[in-house]
Structures are given as C-alpha cells and as structure tokens.
C-alpha cells in the first residue's frame, strides 16, 4: 500500500513537473506572443520614422522646391534684358527715325542730278512742313549740301511729270527748320526753286517730296556764287 501510494505520489510529482513544464512552455510562448507585438510596435515605429523622414525630405524639396531656381529663372526671364537689349536695338531704330537725315545724299555746287523718288527716295517719313499747308505724303529724297566758303545758292527742281515739291531745311527738322518751300501745283508751274546763303561748314538739306502721295522722276540742279 505504501509503495503503491508512493508510486502514485511519484506519478503525481511527475505529472506536476510535466504540468509545470507545460506551464513554463506556455509562459515562454506567451512571452513570445508579448514580444511579437513589441516587434510589431518596433516595425511601426520604424515605419513612422521612415514616414517622418519622407516628410522631412518633402519639406526639403518644398524649401528647395527648386522654386528658388524657378525664381532665378524668372529673374533671368527678366533677362529678357537681352530682350531688353533687343529693346535697345529697337531703340536704335527709334534713334534712326529721330535722325532721318543720316542717309541724306550729298549734293554740291554745279551738280545736276536726274533722280526719282521711287529709286533714290525713301518711304514717306515727313508729311507736314511748317511753310506749306500741302500734305507731302509721297516718297521723298533728302540731300545734304555744304560749302567751304560763303555761297549764294540756287537749287532748282525741274523736268517733273508728277506733283513734286522742293523744300529747304537749315537742320533735320521739317517743322522748326523749314526755311523755304517751292510747292506750286503741277498744272500751274513745272519748275520749283529755292535759294539761300550758305555759311562755311554749315549743312543745309534739300528735300524733294510728293504732294498727296505723288512720286516720280525729276532733275535737281544746284548753282552757286561763292566768295
């Protein structure tokens, strides 16, 4: 009975040990289960960190945004200053228009020129002159005259087939510098004449211009009596 009872006791102990072992295993397993969520938490932490990093990078991009670069490009776009230089070029064109006598043809004492406003002339630049009410809207030819001594000068415009007029300017300005005009209707007179005294080194301008859009050929002569 005692042995038998001891045997049962030993078996109980063994079962107890087994049960405890199983409990330990269960605890370990539970520990693992507890750890795993921790690992998951760590992963989530890493994920969040990564997201944070991505946001930071995004922030960098936003700061850089290379938007500054775009701004710079915009400034360079103002670098339409080259275009602006283009504007300067256009400005150069304006200067040319402000000084339309730069390409004036030279004429001197004794010259007799057979020209035409369609060949030697330019497209209409001047329409109004202070000493005539006629609208000189045709093509025009500009001549520059100067002498080294004082001269009495007579210029004649003749051999006209269309209504061209002759105008004298003391400077390159048809309003403020228009000294004399010969602008008779063609059916009344076919020769236009202007005269003046030329001082040494002074430049005067003769303009052959067409009334009401007229253009055509002519003969322009200059005779001088110089001292």
């Amino acid at each position: 009975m005692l042995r038998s009872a001891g045997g049962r006791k030993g078996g109980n102990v063994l079962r107890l040990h087994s049960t405890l072992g199983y409990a330990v295993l269960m605890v370990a397993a539970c520990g693992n289960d507890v750890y795993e969520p921790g690992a998951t938490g760590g992963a989530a932490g890493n994920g969040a960190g990564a997201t944070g990093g991505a946001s930071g990078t995004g922030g960098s991009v936003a700061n850089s945004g290379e938007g500054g670069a775009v701004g710079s490009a915009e400034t360079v776009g103002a670098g339409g200053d080259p275009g602006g230089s283009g504007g300067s070029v256009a400005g150069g064109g304006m200067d040319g228009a402000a000084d339309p006598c730069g390409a004036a043809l030279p004429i001197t004492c004794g010259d007799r020129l057979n020209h035409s406003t369609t060949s030697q002339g330019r497209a209409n630049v001047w329409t109004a002159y202070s000493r005539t009410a006629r609208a000189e809207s045709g093509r025009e030819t500009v001549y520059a005259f100067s002498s080294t001594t004082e001269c009495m000068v007579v210029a004649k415009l003749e051999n006209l087939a269309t209504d061209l007029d002759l105008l004298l300017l003391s400077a390159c300005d048809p309003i403020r510098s228009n000294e004399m005009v010969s602008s008779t209707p063609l059916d009344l007179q076919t020769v236009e004449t202007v005269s003046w005294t030329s001082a040494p080194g002074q430049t005067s301008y003769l303009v052959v211009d067409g009334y009401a859009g007229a253009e055509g050929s002519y003969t322009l002569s200059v005779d001088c009596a110089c001292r």
Side-chain angles (χ1 to χ4, degrees), residues 29-53:
C30 290
N32 286 336
D33 288 344
V34 170
Y35 173 78
E36 287 302 326
T40 303
N46 290 338
T51 302

Side-chain angles (χ1 to χ4, degrees), residues 170-184:
S170 59
C172 195
D173 186 326
I175 302 301
R176 291 175 293 185
S177 303
N178 186 193
E179 300 296 327
M180 184 177 291
V181 171
S182 182
S183 57
T184 310

